[in-house]
Structure formats: structure tokens, C-alpha cells
Amino acid sequence: GEDVEQSLFLSVREGDSSVINCTYTDSSSTYLYWYKQEPGAGLQLLTYIFSNMDMKQDQRLTVLLNKKDKHLSLRIADTQTGDSAIYFCAAKDSGYSTLTFGKGTMLLVSP
Amino acid sequence: DAGVTQSPTHLIKTRGQQVTLRCSPKSGHDTVSWYQQALGQGPQFIFQYYEEEERQRGNFPDRFSGHQFPNYSSELNVNALLLGDSALYLCASSWERRRGGEQYFGPGTRLTVT
């Protein structure tokens, strides 16, 4: 089955850009998602990209997809302290809309 | 739009007991998926309900069962609770006809088994 891997921790300064990386194994994954989870809360859908796209931009968020290497990244421009959270990468297979998640990347933004 | 709602927020049970968790999907959504998130881990897929039927299931034992009602709301039942069932249980809803199949999550139910 699908396996999704992420780096576990990233620390940046306020105002810098953050880049969170993710790799997946199933080349038939059709959509890839980024979710944000704040302490004690559920998951907030940030953005997603279809597998035939290379890039998607949504305000401060930029998603890059390298389908050949099965590598996904999320860039957050002008990172703010309110962006501190755990970010999850998730892949949807070609069947029903069930998701396989990575273990999450904890982003810490310092003033 | 109320979004996805779940109840209760927190629950403490004893080993061997049974528990029922509830979920109301986002308005207009017809598909409900349940996930288990252990501490420090990503969510793990339990099962998905569409048209009141379980149509896909993850690697969870039969102690985990569910139901979807005609109004699309759903329940997750866990029998014979084990200490390892302690986790955050997340419900997600989506619209079957939406090409991207984006899933929107509720705030979760924190289950503690003692």
C-alpha cells in the first residue's frame, strides 16, 4: 500500500520562508493534500494538487509536485508565528477518497 | 455552515467497555470517513461510509464498526476496548461527486482507555 514520509521537524524565523517536504510511494496517487493541525484540534485542509500538475499557488502557499520522484513540497512565504503547527501530507489513491497520511512535520516559528 | 461536528469532545472509558462516537458531516457532503490518530502519529484510516454502506476499510479489527444514517451522519462503535485504543478519533466528510474528493475534518473525539 501507499507509504508517505515527511521530515519530523522544521524551525524558522518569522518572516522567512518555510519548506516542508514529503515523499510518497504509490505512483497512482491522484491527489495530494496538505493539512495543518494545531494543538488539541482537528485537521484543517490547506491546499491540494492534482497529480497532473507541477505547481499550485494559493496566497502564501506554494505546492510543488515532482511526480517522477514522487516528491511533494509545501512552501509558506513570510512565515508567521501563527503558522506554528504540525503539517501533514496526505495522498489519495485512484479509488475511493481515502487518505494515507505521513507522520507530520512540526513547524516552529520563532519571533 | 457549521462544518463537521463530532461528539463527545472527550471520553474516558475502562478496558473491556464499549464506546460510540458521533459525527455530523459538513452541509452538502454525503461521505463520511473515520480515522484514528495516536499521539505523535498521522491519522490512520479506519473505514468509509457512503449511501449507508461501509465501502472501504483500513487495517482495523472487527471490534471497530460503524453506521451511516439517512441524513449522512455517522457513528463509530468500538467494542471490548483496549488500552491501545486510546487516541484522537477524527471524522472527515466529503462529497462523492467532487473530483478532488477533499475531506474536511471535525475537531475529533479524544478517547482515553484506562
Side-chain angles (χ1 to χ4, degrees), chain B:
Chain B
D1 183 1
V4 180
T5 60
Q6 292 186 243
S7 63
T9 306
H10 295 87
L11 206 49
I12 300 174
K13 289 286 189 178
T14 304
R15 269 184 306 176
Q17 286 188 315
Q18 178 263 344
V19 68
T20 297
L21 311 181
R22 295 178 176 82
C23 171
S24 290
K26 190 175 166 66
S27 177
H29 285 185
D30 55 9
T31 304
V32 173
S33 303
W34 286 92
Y35 293 81
Q36 180 195 65
Q37 186 180 21
L39 203 60
Q41 301 294 316
Q44 296 286 317
F45 173 70
I46 303 175
F47 42 53
Q48 184 180 87
Y49 277 84
Y50 173 67
E51 292 188 337
E52 303 178 49
E53 297 281 336
E54 179 187 298
R55 71 172 178 183
Q56 194 160 357
R57 188 179 184 91
N59 190 24
F60 279 80
D62 292 345
R63 296 187 298 109
F64 289 77
S65 62
H67 190 76
Q68 185 180 34
F69 299 94
N71 67 353
Y72 308 117
S73 67
S74 178
E75 288 181 350
L76 163 66
N77 301 293
V78 187
N79 293 323
L81 284 166
L82 304 174
L83 295 179
D85 295 331
S86 295
L88 180 67
Y89 287 85
L90 295 162
C91 167
S93 73
S94 55
W95 184 40
E96 173 68 9
R97 293 191 180 185
R98 173 76 176 166
R99 190 164 169 249
E102 304 96 278
Q103 294 190 16
Y104 292 84
F105 282 79
T109 294
R110 172 74 61 188
L111 173 64
T112 302
V113 182
T114 62

Side-chain angles (χ1 to χ4, degrees), chain A residues 31 33 35 37 40-43 45 48 50 52 88 92-93 95-99 101-104, chain B residues 33 35 37 40-43 45 48 55-56 88 90 94 98-107:
Chain A
Y31 286 88
Y33 305 83
Y35 284 87
Q37 187 175 38
L43 274 67
L45 177 63
Y48 66 95
F50 185 45
N52 69 352
F88 290 95
K92 173 184 175 300
D93 63 21
Y96 302 124
S97 55
T98 60
L99 303 179
F101 284 85
K103 290 187 176 180
Chain B
S33 303
Y35 293 81
Q37 186 180 21
Q41 301 294 316
F45 173 70
Q48 184 180 87
R55 71 172 178 183
Q56 194 160 357
L88 180 67
L90 295 162
S94 55
R98 173 76 176 166
R99 190 164 169 249
E102 304 96 278
Q103 294 190 16
Y104 292 84
F105 282 79

